[in-house]
Amino acid sequence: MLKREMYLSRIRGFYDSDLIKILVGIRRCGKSVILKQIMNELKEKGVDKEHIIYVNFELIEYEDLQDYKELNKYIKEKIVDEKKYYVFLDEIQKVDKFEEVVNSLRASIENISIFITGSNSKLLSNELSTVLSGRYVLFNIYPLSYKEFIELTGKDGKSDETFWDFVKWGGLPNRTQFTDESNIKDYLHSVFDSIILRDVVDRLGLKDTVLFDLLLQYIVDITGREFSAENVIKFLKNEGKSVSTETLYIYLDALCKALMMKKIYRYDIHGKAILKTLNKYYMTDLGIAQIKNNNFEINKSFAIENVVYNELLIRGYDVYIGKTKEGEIDFIATNDEEKLYFQVAYLVEQPKTEAREFGAYKEINDNYPKYVLSLDKADFSKDGIIHKNIIDWLLEK
């Protein structure tokens, strides 16, 4: 079992905190494994098993606890002394009013530390923020990074074959159990179906799964390019689906809430403002993108751009498209400590491509680090702009 130290190191400081620890991520990205690793660390620290309460709402034996009052009763009955109790509630979005349960437990029991996981963005909603009112800390969990993929599989991370296997089939941990492409596809289809059926159709009450399929195919085809509702509606009409702009955005929002894809906004570098128009979408996992790809071959340029975007999120950055006066920067990545710029290209060895990728920075006069990432083996760094091989960059941290 791969120890997901990147996430554990961020969570450890909150093990004994009364803040509710929320782990959110797409289905099968490894949230349950992280919970089990936290429980193992607690046991190693001397916490006995009676003080660790674990409920997995995907298991039939806990189905009765999907009633929030029964869940509240079940947990309270297990707390019988003054020692600290650690409560783990896995896939809690299955419980209506779960936020009331965790808030009530936190408020009424002093010796309790609560961890919850979920597979849709109801755990990020304003409703949750209102009920818990700042009494929680959120951790976004993603499919494997490239470095984690290498650690789990033991493959040669510098190998082009290994890299393109990751780009094509993504980072859902369980897909690494299979080597045959047909088995990988079958597994990814099962994950996709469970997301659509459980997190979209059932929870949100949106019934047209064919429309979801078509819409997702379109998003995969335009990954990394500006989104146009008008173009999508034309595409869907050609496929026999007549939808309004309002319906289109409802379905797009549903796919984002299921954490299958993410919307990225543009940031006006000169005006210093986030823009709500001409946004883009990127896939949370490229394996899901592959099985919904209309073409036999992936678009390698946009696929590696998606890989870089996901890696920046994994590393804890807020990410935007950078709008300049005459063009754009692929990504601006910020956190509390730094701000970075990134241009991503397949190869920059041709003079025209090199001029385009490095020239994108000509309007930006600040001193924040500026990168060009590509698959070139040679170093093209110049004029203070850092060039790195994408594979080397992915393996850095």
Side-chain angles (χ1 to χ4, degrees), residues 322-387:
K323 180 188 175 297
T324 60
K325 290 178 180 178
E326 296 184 10
E328 69 177 36
I329 304 299
D330 287 334
F331 302 119
I332 304 175
T334 64
N335 60 21
D336 293 338
E337 299 174 354
E338 59 184 347
K339 178 179 180 179
L340 310 171
Y341 296 101
F342 291 90
Q343 280 291 99
V344 184
Y346 182 56
L347 294 169
V348 296
E349 59 187 1
Q350 295 298 323
K352 185 177 179 180
T353 308
E354 182 183 357
R356 182 186 69 234
E357 299 302 331
F358 284 83
Y361 291 118
K362 67 182 180 181
E363 298 180 55
I364 305 175
N365 299 316
D366 61 39
N367 294 317
Y368 295 112
K370 300 170 181 66
Y371 293 89
V372 173
L373 304 179
S374 75
L375 289 171
D376 298 275
K377 304 297 184 185
D379 186 346
F380 290 89
S381 300
K382 64 178 183 179
D383 301 328
I385 300 168
I386 305 162
H387 173 254

Side-chain angles (χ1 to χ4, degrees), residues 18-37:
D18 65 350
L19 293 174
I20 297 161
K21 281 67 69 177
I22 303 177
L23 282 63
V24 182
I26 191 173
R27 283 186 182 275
R28 303 293 174 258
C29 72
K31 301 183 299 298
S32 298
V33 168
I34 293 173
L35 282 193
K36 290 175 182 176
Q37 291 175 349

Side-chain angles (χ1 to χ4, degrees), residues 120-121 195 199-200 204 206 212 248-261:
N120 66 45
S121 61
I195 292 170
D199 294 337
V200 176
L204 300 175
L206 304 175
F212 276 117
L248 170 64
Y249 278 108
I250 288 172
Y251 274 69
L252 279 170
D253 185 57
L255 287 168
C256 290
K257 282 182 175 176
L259 305 178
M260 196 176 294
M261 62 189 194

